[in-house]
Amino acid sequence: MAPIHVIWFKRDLRTADHLPLAASTKRALRDGGRVLPLYIAEPDWWAQPDMSARHWEFVTECLTELRADLAALGAPLVVRTGAAVEVLADLHRRFGIASLASHEETGTAWTYDRDRAVARWARSSGVEWTQYRDTGVIRALGDRNGWARSWDRFMAEPTHPRPKAIGGTDIDPGSLPAAPDLGLASHSCPERQRGGRVAALDALESFLHRRGERYRKEMSSPLSAEASCSRISAHLAWGTLSVREAAQATRCRMSDLRDAPGASGMWQASLRSFLGRLHWHCHFIQKFEDQPSIETASLHPAYSDIRDFDPMRHAAWAEGRTGWPFLDACMRSLQATGWINFRMRAMLMSASSYQLWNHWREPGLHLARLFTDYEPGIHWPQVQMQSGTTGINTARIYNPIKQGIDQDPDGVFIRRWVPELEAVPTVAIHQPWTLSPLEQADLGLDIGSDYPTPIIDHMVAGRDARARIWAVRKGQPYREAADAIQERHGSRRSGLAPSTRARKRRRPAETDQASLDFG
């Protein structure tokens, strides 16, 4: 029987710049083997509190396109539903697996545990499992020094070409499960981005050549960001596009613009800013790779128990009925589209953690379920950063009313997503509770009934939160812990240095992914 080489697709749903696919195809050519591209729909993973049906619907579109792409190469995607170890063991028992290849995955505690179980099974079954680097993230990183240069080198390496043909198997490819088959409740997202490689390339091309000129100036407001931002985040999160492909395409476009007569300087500034965002994409995932506990535990221990959790305040925030029109508009937009620009994400999380003084974990899970582009390695460090629990970042407390005035001065975004306020004049759109009873009656509006009054006085709550946060930041023990966090996770490009003496090179801690025994 010809050896079977399995490529396990996870969050890398493409055939281009896919080293596990390229390497396994070459290996099969050498030993006369066959290639089995595999995707495992894992019900236990999809049952996790950060996952939702909108994620699976996007992934289904990606898998449908990937299956067609692989079939054209000669090896249709095989889909199985179940636990990864059980699926792999069944395939090995029936057909014999000579090798298993996948990309490294920086995921949640659940996926870490799953991969540990697969590693144990592979060793006990005599199956060689090779994991390949996919991004600028470095597994078992001992020291942040030099990380930025490593990122630059990795992004400059040639992309791995899509195989011209693959010798596949005649194994039944199976069917893609529907969301209910995975236990996923309906999670309506009527204006969600479409998944798949074609959509990814279209988004990147239109951004680099048409939409992105004003990216740097227009990324902050939800009015302009929808068109001016790249919109490739979901494709990076689910791997229909690699970070390296995006970085190289951006550098190529910048080079072309330098030689183009009459090209505006705004293009170069915007694309430099975008390239920086790709760098930060991997920077935050590297934090999560090094310390997965960021998902559940406050990065600086001094902030572990300072917040409460009020279910009523959380529900008002999560449903877009806080009485702060711009914030509610942002939450409702996110519910309907699966995306909102970064500044508004920061404001949503900041308001939950500061003004509403709720612990960050449940709000973080709510946002994770809403973001089509949910990337755990970015999401959880950002949740903590916007909640002020890292110990190394400034406490940024967004004023939800001022943000609306700054980013949506005429209330266009508010009126789109909070139609209850459609008739409110611009002068009062950001603070409709200031309308007199007579003015409300003239508008056919009752603040408190048709639209809620503010859940809390945001100015008072913001001042109280700032005082609470800064009260913790005192004393040598706090500073020493913050210095250790900066040494471990801080960007060397930030210019921030610990106040204490430089520490020796850190050995991988038992809490980082290096300890997960993937050998």
Side-chain angles (χ1 to χ4, degrees):
M1 181 181 294
I4 290 180
H5 301 285
V6 174
I7 301 104
W8 181 13
F9 287 87
K10 295 194 273 185
R11 296 184 70 132
D12 50 355
L13 306 180
R14 62 183 186 275
T15 57
D17 199 23
H18 197 291
L19 184 52
L21 178 63
S24 294
T25 301
K26 289 181 181 178
R27 187 168 183 172
L29 285 173
R30 287 197 306 268
D31 65 14
R34 313 299 284 173
V35 172
L36 194 162
L38 175 68
Y39 182 84
I40 306 173
E42 303 166 272
D44 286 351
W45 182 42
W46 290 99
Q48 295 304 300
D50 54 343
M51 307 305 292
S52 68
R54 66 178 58 188
H55 297 148
W56 177 247
E57 289 163 1
F58 185 91
V59 168
T60 297
E61 292 162 357
C62 298
L63 291 171
T64 299
E65 196 172 307
L66 176 63
R67 170 169 273 182
D69 194 12
L70 286 164
L73 296 175
L77 180 69
V78 172
V79 176
R80 294 291 184 267
T81 300
V85 168
E86 293 175 4
V87 168
L88 291 167
D90 179 66
L91 289 171
H92 187 46
R93 183 171 57 253
R94 295 171 60 194
F95 307 107
I97 296 175
S99 70
L100 175 66
S102 69
H103 275 124
E104 294 174 347
E105 180 182 9
T106 301
T108 61
W110 190 94
T111 63
Y112 285 178
D113 290 342
R114 182 270 318 276
D115 283 0
R116 280 196 294 262
V118 170
R120 290 192 296 270
W121 169 83
R123 284 195 301 272
S124 66
S125 302
V127 174
E128 178 188 359
W129 181 21
T130 304
Q131 298 182 80
Y132 297 92
R133 184 179 175 187
D134 188 31
T135 69
V137 175
I138 301 171
R139 181 158 289 179
L141 179 68
D143 194 320
R144 267 283 182 153
N145 292 324
W147 184 88
R149 290 190 297 275
S150 173
W151 187 90
D152 290 336
R153 288 194 299 269
F154 183 82
M155 294 303 153
E157 292 175 3
T159 59
H160 303 287
R162 175 177 179 267
K164 295 180 180 179
I166 303 173
T169 69
D170 57 0
I171 295 173
D172 176 17
S175 59
L176 288 170
D181 298 330
L182 297 173
L184 291 167
S186 176
H187 204 151
S188 177
C189 191
E191 299 182 41
R192 174 182 57 77
Q193 283 181 270
R194 183 169 180 81
R197 173 77 173 177
V198 171
L201 294 176
D202 284 348
L204 182 61
E205 191 276 338
S206 66
F207 172 72
L208 293 179
H209 293 270
R210 295 186 298 280
R211 298 184 292 108
E213 183 174 9
R214 297 182 61 81
Y215 167 74
R216 192 178 183 193
K217 290 183 175 295
E218 296 184 347
M219 70 171 76
S220 293
S221 170
L223 286 169
S224 52
E226 184 177 0
S228 294
C229 286
S230 72
R231 304 309 305 278
I232 67 169
S233 56
H235 298 289
L236 294 178
W238 297 102
T240 54
L241 185 71
S242 74
V243 181
R244 180 161 48 197
E245 287 180 298
Q248 291 188 7
T250 302
R251 287 186 171 128
C252 183
R253 175 64 171 152
M254 292 173 71
S255 177
D256 290 345
L257 286 167
R258 280 193 291 271
D259 299 330
S264 75
M266 191 178 296
W267 262 117
Q268 290 288 353
S270 288
L271 294 185
R272 278 196 301 272
S273 181
F274 176 66
L275 197 60
R277 292 305 191 279
L278 293 178
H279 173 95
W280 283 104
H281 173 279
C282 297
H283 164 78
F284 279 99
I285 299 176
Q286 184 70 61
K287 293 186 182 188
F288 202 59
E289 171 77 21
D290 294 343
Q291 192 168 346
S293 62
I294 292 173
E295 177 190 0
T296 55
S298 294
L299 187 55
H300 196 299
Y303 294 110
S304 295
D305 300 313
I306 66 168
R307 285 189 171 93
D308 309 313
F309 184 76
D310 185 320
M312 292 183 64
R313 289 185 181 182
H314 173 70
W317 171 84
E319 295 165 13
R321 50 179 182 84
T322 63
W324 301 326
F326 185 61
L327 185 140
D328 289 344
C330 289
M331 183 62 81
R332 296 185 194 185
S333 172
L334 174 58
Q335 290 167 348
T337 68
W339 184 88
I340 193 129
N341 59 315
F342 175 77
R343 188 178 186 91
M344 300 305 95
R345 297 182 189 214
M347 179 193 69
L348 287 170
M349 196 65 228
S350 171
S352 174
S353 293
Y354 289 118
Q355 282 91 346
L356 302 183
W357 201 245
N358 271 333
H359 189 278
W360 51 266
R361 172 67 177 168
E362 285 300 322
L365 288 171
H366 177 74
L367 292 176
R369 292 189 292 268
L370 292 182
F371 292 148
T372 309
D373 58 7
Y374 171 50
E375 169 59 71
I378 297 174
H379 180 73
W380 292 110
Q382 278 295 325
V383 161
Q384 291 218 35
M385 186 173 177
Q386 304 309 333
S387 299
T389 55
T390 67
I392 60 174
N393 301 108
T394 298
R396 177 171 290 182
I397 302 176
Y398 288 78
N399 179 329
I401 308 306
K402 183 179 184 301
Q403 285 299 308
I405 294 169
D406 290 347
Q407 307 301 338
D408 184 28
D410 298 321
V412 174
F413 189 76
I414 291 173
R415 291 187 181 91
R416 177 183 177 187
W417 294 107
V418 188
E420 308 96 296
L421 303 179
E422 185 175 6
V424 174
T426 299
V427 69
I429 192 67
H430 297 286
Q431 301 180 80
W433 60 89
T434 62
L435 291 168
S436 70
L438 182 59
E439 289 171 320
Q440 293 181 40
D442 287 344
L443 296 171
L445 176 69
D446 180 9
I447 298 297
S449 176
D450 299 320
Y451 181 72
T453 54
I455 189 172
I456 199 169
D457 185 322
H458 70 278
M459 292 298 291
V460 172
R463 285 195 297 269
D464 288 347
R466 183 174 285 105
R468 291 177 176 184
I469 286 290
W470 284 103
V472 176
R473 298 189 173 203
K474 295 178 180 178
Q476 187 64 17
Y478 177 93
R479 289 192 293 271
E480 289 177 353
D483 284 351
I485 293 166
Q486 171 63 25
E487 176 70 13
R488 185 174 188 182
H489 296 297
S491 168
R492 299 309 188 252
R493 289 180 174 177
S494 69
L496 296 175
S499 59
T500 56
R501 290 186 303 171
R503 291 166 174 78
K504 295 180 179 179
R505 181 180 178 90
R506 182 182 65 86
R507 293 179 59 83
E510 291 187 0
T511 54
D512 69 19
Q513 192 170 350
S515 71
L516 300 185
D517 195 16
F518 287 110

